[in-house]
């Protein structure tokens, strides 16, 4: 009896198993799949497949989704690194086109993106000789020439003053030069035989002109002038006679030449060289990628779809098989329990 019951149950299990296998094979042969490769920063992020699809007039329902991580990488974002550098005492408007900086142990090469120049005057470290001359003009005697002179040098935006010393005095163009006038006074009536000119008596002329010829040296000396450096070329009365203290006085103008030289004094000193140049503020930049702390996953998702009716049939079949197995199990347990009771 026991053997007969067992064989009966076993036959039922085999029958249902074969039925299930054939049903599942049939369903598997009528399934379709969809594949999607996507990126996400959430590792277990589910892909939103449609719950059902339609192909060739047949409706398929989603039955299973499998996920496979293809690759993963660190997520970064762009960041611009900017550095300013100052340059002083440039001779030209030129700065370097790139600069290298260390960031977290990594060497970055930054490119020039902006530069501002400021005109300045600065010393070169060299010394130069500067000179200056003072023209004292024409004089019959050497003028009083200072031993030092202040010289202004440098550039318009940075004028400097240095004290220079007298190097030499050059006497140039010694010659007789016209254009000088001196004045003198004659005492005596217009019809007198002699005019009194300082300490000299000069005969009156018959034509009323200024008497001076033959007495030029005396006239110059009486006026405090050297006959070696001045000479009288002509003379003329300056106005009408006047009476002062009962004495007739008449003024005269003497047109003279002066034997003069042009005196030029030269000065010299040594000073630091100053030149025009530039200070500059340059901006260098580079764009780098920095970690955000997130990871990007590339995921392959495969969705399986089966025909709507076949899926339902499969589910029902599986349910029947499971129910049958449960019943057989219960019967087996009851039989075993009864046998134990009989043995007691």
């Amino acid at each position: 009896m026991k053997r007969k019951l067992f064989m009966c149950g076993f036959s039922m299990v085999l029958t249902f198993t074969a039925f299930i296998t054939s049903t599942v094979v049939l369903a598997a042969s009528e399934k379709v799949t969809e594949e999607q490769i996507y990126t996400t920063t959430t590792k277990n992020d589910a892909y939103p497949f449609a719950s059902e699809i339609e192909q060739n007039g047949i409706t398929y329902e989603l039955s299973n989704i499998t996920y496979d991580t293809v690759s993963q990488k660190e997520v970064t974002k762009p960041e611009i690194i900017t550095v300013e550098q100052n340059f002083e005492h440039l001779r030209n408007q030129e700065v370097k086109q790139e600069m290298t900086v260390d960031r977290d142990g990594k060497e970055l090469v930054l490119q020039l993106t902006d530069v501002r120049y400021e005109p300045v005057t600065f010393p070169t470290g060299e010394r130069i000789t500067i000179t200056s001359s003072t023209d004292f003009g024409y004089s019959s005697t050497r003028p009083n020439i200072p031993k030092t002179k202040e010289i202004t040098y440098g550039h318009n935006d940075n004028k400097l003053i240095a004290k220079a010393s007298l190097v030499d005095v050059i006497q140039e163009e010694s010659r007789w030069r016209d254009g000088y006038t001196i004045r003198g006074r004659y005492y005596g009536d217009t019809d007198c035989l002699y005019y009194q000119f300082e300490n000299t008596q000069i005969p009156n002329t018959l034509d009323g002109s200024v008497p001076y010829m033959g007495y030029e040296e005396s006239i110059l000396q009486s006026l405090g002038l050297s006959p070696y450096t001045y000479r009288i070329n002509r003379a003329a009365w300056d106005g009408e006679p006047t009476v002062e203290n009962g004495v007739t006085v008449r003024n005269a103008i003497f047109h003279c030449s002066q034997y003069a030289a042009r005196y030029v004094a030269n000065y010299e000193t040594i000073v630091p060289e100053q030149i025009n140049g530039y200070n500059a503020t340059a901006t260098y930049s580079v764009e780098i990628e920095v970690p955000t702390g997130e990871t990007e996953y590339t995921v392959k998702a495969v969705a399986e779809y089966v025909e709507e009716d076949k899926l339902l049939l499969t589910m029902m079949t599986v349910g029947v098989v499971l129910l049958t197995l449960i019943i057989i199990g219960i019967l087996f347990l009851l039989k075993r329990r009864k046998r134990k009771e009989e043995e007691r």
Side-chain angles (χ1 to χ4, degrees):
M1 181 66 182
K2 295 179 182 179
R3 180 177 179 82
K4 186 176 181 181
L5 182 61
F6 175 78
M7 291 302 294
C8 181
F10 182 73
S11 298
M12 291 177 65
V13 171
L14 289 178
T15 301
F16 281 113
T17 302
F19 178 76
I20 290 171
T21 303
S22 62
T23 303
V24 171
V25 169
L26 177 61
S29 64
E30 296 179 0
K31 71 179 180 180
V32 295
T33 61
E34 278 196 1
E35 180 181 302
Q36 294 290 340
I37 296 178
Y38 61 96
T39 59
T40 178
T41 56
T42 303
K43 189 172 184 179
N44 297 319
D45 191 16
Y47 190 84
F49 285 103
S51 60
E52 63 180 30
I53 60 174
E54 185 173 328
Q55 290 187 5
N56 301 320
I58 301 174
T59 300
Y60 296 86
E61 289 189 352
L62 180 65
S63 64
N64 186 43
I65 303 175
T66 58
Y67 295 94
D68 181 28
T69 300
V70 178
S71 64
Q72 65 183 56
K73 65 178 182 179
E74 190 176 48
V75 178
T76 62
K77 65 178 180 180
E79 179 179 319
I80 297 179
I81 306 298
T82 301
V83 176
E84 278 194 352
Q85 185 172 2
N86 295 322
F87 297 90
E88 293 185 346
H89 299 170
L90 301 174
R91 292 177 180 262
N92 302 299
Q93 288 189 357
E94 295 179 359
V95 296
K96 60 184 181 182
Q97 295 299 304
E98 62 182 31
M99 69 177 299
T100 302
V101 298
D102 182 87
R103 181 181 173 92
D104 300 329
K106 183 178 180 180
E107 201 173 73
L108 299 179
V109 179
L110 283 68
Q111 302 297 321
L112 177 68
T113 56
D114 183 56
V115 60
R116 300 184 301 275
Y117 292 100
E118 176 191 1
V120 294
T121 300
F122 60 90
T124 64
E126 303 294 330
R127 298 183 68 81
I128 59 173
T129 300
I130 59 173
T131 60
S132 179
S133 298
T134 300
D135 189 344
F136 288 90
Y138 288 90
S139 176
S140 59
T141 58
R142 179 186 171 112
N144 184 21
I145 297 176
K147 298 296 183 182
T148 61
K149 176 186 178 180
E150 288 188 343
I151 300 177
T152 300
Y153 71 101
H155 303 279
N156 292 334
D157 52 356
N158 187 29
K159 290 293 187 180
L160 302 173
I161 297 177
K163 181 177 286 189
S165 300
L166 180 66
V167 176
D168 56 29
V169 178
I170 299 176
Q171 181 178 325
E172 301 177 344
E173 302 178 19
S174 298
R175 59 186 176 87
W176 288 101
R177 302 177 72 249
D178 296 333
Y180 294 92
T181 58
I182 56 178
R183 296 178 180 275
R185 308 189 79 183
Y186 287 82
Y187 295 88
D189 295 331
T190 56
D191 57 353
C192 65
L193 295 178
Y194 291 93
Y195 282 108
Q196 187 70 33
F197 192 92
E198 296 297 335
N199 296 325
T200 302
Q201 287 187 337
I202 303 174
N204 194 358
T205 59
L206 299 178
D207 58 5
S209 61
V210 179
Y212 73 91
M213 297 184 68
Y215 295 89
E216 291 92 334
E217 184 175 335
S218 297
I219 292 173
L220 291 171
Q221 289 177 343
S222 63
L223 295 175
L225 300 176
S226 170
Y228 297 104
T229 55
Y230 286 88
R231 64 187 181 190
I232 300 173
N233 300 324
R234 57 191 176 86
W237 293 115
D238 185 17
E240 296 297 322
T242 60
V243 176
E244 296 179 5
N245 299 324
V247 179
T248 301
V249 180
R250 197 166 193 182
N251 294 321
I253 297 176
F254 301 96
H255 297 272
C256 305
S257 296
Q258 183 189 43
Y259 190 78
R262 182 168 169 246
Y263 289 88
V264 178
N266 296 312
Y267 297 86
E268 180 180 284
T269 188
I270 298 176
V271 297
E273 183 184 30
Q274 299 278 329
I275 64 171
N276 279 334
Y278 305 91
N279 287 343
T281 301
T283 302
Y284 297 85
S285 301
V286 67
E287 183 177 294
I288 63 173
E289 295 291 327
V290 296
T292 63
E294 293 184 314
T295 301
E296 180 183 87
Y297 301 93
T298 300
V299 180
K300 178 182 178 181
V302 179
E304 294 183 355
Y305 291 86
V306 297
E307 280 188 55
E308 186 175 18
D309 294 339
K310 293 293 187 297
L311 179 61
L312 178 60
L313 178 59
T314 301
M315 293 176 64
M316 291 175 63
T317 303
V318 171
V320 171
V321 171
L322 290 176
L323 180 59
T324 302
L325 291 175
I326 291 171
I327 292 172
I328 292 173
I330 292 173
L331 290 176
F332 178 77
L333 291 174
L334 289 175
K335 185 66 176 179
R336 184 176 182 182
R337 181 179 179 183
K338 185 177 179 180
R339 186 180 62 186
K340 287 183 178 181
E341 289 178 351
E342 291 177 350
E343 289 177 351
R344 290 177 183 176

